[in-house]
Amino acid sequence: MKVERRCKILEKTVLADGAVSMTLEVGDMVRTSFKNPGQFVHVKCGEGLLLRRPISVCTCGEGDPSDLVRIVFEARGEGTAWLAARPAGHPVDVLGLLGNGFPMKKDGRYLLVGGGIGVPPMLGCAQFAGVKPTAILGFRSKEKVMLLDEFADVCEKVLPATDDGSFGYHGFVDALVRQELAENKEYDAVLACGPKPMLRNVAKAAEEFGVPCLVSMEERMGCGVGACLVCACDMADGSRKHVCKDGPVFDAKEVDWNA
Ligand SMILES: Cc1cc2nc3c(=O)[nH]c(=O)nc-3n(C[C@H](O)[C@H](O)[C@H](O)COP(=O)(O)OP(=O)(O)OC[C@H]3O[C@@H](n4cnc5c(N)ncnc54)[C@H](O)[C@@H]3O)c2cc1C
Ligand code: FES
């Protein structure tokens, strides 16, 4: 069941390079609509703007008197800049939890891969996993690196990478995915969230090793609930699926990577 409610911002902190972490008091939203890690919330951003903005759930949990959802986002345009300026204690209008997320099994062995602002939702996956996962986390540069300590608390191994080599491995995450899959044959699946070119390369690396790969896709959204077609994503079989309702997580083999 999807719930729309006014949620109090319980806590707001600024992470690396301006990324904002917000913990929201969401009533019974987690109890009533949590399916898997990797779902998202649709947040009304601004008084005058008609459209909501989709933000992935970083972590969430049931609570008394209120469930909590943490989101981490960057101010990219008008909507997210408005949200970033809300102080703790203020309410925001949230629709959620939406989408299907990553269908994780408690006893699964997962290689988690995040890129940029696609890193935060992988923390929820890491916390959910029953077997400590490995996380490969890519950032543009060391100024953008975030959440490493929190990943270290719940992961077997955390491998950071930066595009410019200023922190961790120098290069893109798919090189680390190949390295990890070559060394360790026991992964049940690779789960990835990040920009589309990164997802395509990670999917290719996983396919080379015969390991299933699930990817969280980003498209612009309107309604967020399957009613408007704004978020259509091209599939390899020629069909189009709604990222909001059918996703945002898809089997990498389903996606048309050339679209
Ligand atoms: C399922 C899903 C989960 C997301 N999770 C997060 C998250 O956890 N943290 C986070 O920071 N952002 C996330 N995003 C992206 C976020 O929704 C956009 O940054 C936001 O909608 C931009 O709105 P705006 O009004 O601030 O900017 P706008 O003025 O609308 O756009 C600013 C810039 O961002 C680009 N843009 C806008 N929306 C998207 C999009 N969906 N994909 C790619 N580029 C876009 C625009 O083309 C433009 O260049 C997610 C998107 C989706 C679809
Ligand atoms: S955003 Fe309207 S159908 Fe997906």
Side-chain angles (χ1 to χ4, degrees):
M1 186 180 70
K2 292 157 189 94
V3 183
E4 180 184 356
R5 60 170 81 244
R6 277 170 86 72
C7 300
K8 189 169 110 180
I9 301 168
L10 182 66
E11 196 179 302
K12 176 185 160 188
T13 50
V14 178
L15 305 177
D17 211 22
V20 174
S21 167
M22 263 184 194
T23 303
L24 307 170
E25 283 182 345
V26 296
D28 63 357
M29 193 181 280
V30 177
R31 273 166 280 170
T32 51
S33 53
F34 178 82
K35 291 183 191 160
N36 291 298
Q39 290 178 270
F40 67 96
V41 287
H42 217 194
V43 186
K44 226 178 227 173
C45 290
E47 312 303 335
L49 295 177
L50 281 178
L51 294 185
R52 294 170 177 275
R53 297 293 183 257
I55 308 284
S56 299
V57 173
C58 169
T59 58
C60 66
E62 296 179 13
D64 184 13
S66 176
D67 299 344
L68 299 178
V69 165
R70 181 186 184 190
I71 54 174
V72 175
F73 62 95
E74 282 177 351
R76 281 200 204 156
E78 201 179 346
T80 43
W82 181 90
L83 186 61
R86 291 309 91 199
H90 276 225
V92 281
D93 187 315
V94 180
L95 180 62
L97 303 172
L98 303 178
N100 290 318
F102 293 97
M104 295 176 71
K105 294 195 182 113
K106 272 288 177 194
D107 59 351
R109 290 186 50 88
Y110 295 108
L111 179 57
L112 309 179
V113 188
I117 204 64
V119 164
M122 304 323 292
L123 181 60
C125 295
Q127 285 187 355
F128 183 86
V131 181
K132 280 191 168 188
T134 293
I136 295 175
L137 308 175
F139 304 92
R140 254 185 253 142
S141 63
K142 92 167 176 254
E143 292 73 35
K144 296 268 180 195
V145 173
M146 62 171 137
L147 302 171
L148 281 196
D149 290 347
E150 291 180 68
F151 273 94
D153 285 345
V154 286
C155 290
E156 180 68 32
K157 195 159 52 165
V158 182
L159 303 171
T162 49
D163 300 356
D164 65 0
S166 51
F167 188 83
Y169 174 80
H170 184 177
F172 295 139
V173 289
D174 53 297
L176 285 177
V177 170
R178 281 193 181 82
Q179 192 178 298
E180 189 58 27
L181 292 179
E183 279 172 17
N184 191 334
K185 309 284 174 213
E186 287 174 8
Y187 289 112
D188 293 312
V190 175
L191 313 182
C193 184
K196 195 169 177 184
M198 179 205 107
L199 296 179
R200 184 176 43 222
N201 292 339
V202 169
K204 191 162 173 284
E207 193 178 4
E208 285 164 20
F209 287 86
V211 179
C213 180
L214 297 167
V215 292
S216 182
M217 302 298 290
E218 253 203 36
E219 293 290 343
R220 301 216 67 162
M221 284 191 186
C223 67
V225 293
C228 74
L229 275 176
V230 167
C231 67
C233 174
D234 291 310
M235 297 286 120
D237 67 0
S239 67
R240 306 191 88 198
K241 286 198 173 169
H242 296 105
V243 168
C244 66
K245 192 166 67 107
D246 306 314
V249 174
F250 296 95
D251 187 320
K253 289 206 167 96
E254 276 189 90
V255 176
D256 179 359
W257 294 107
N258 300 316

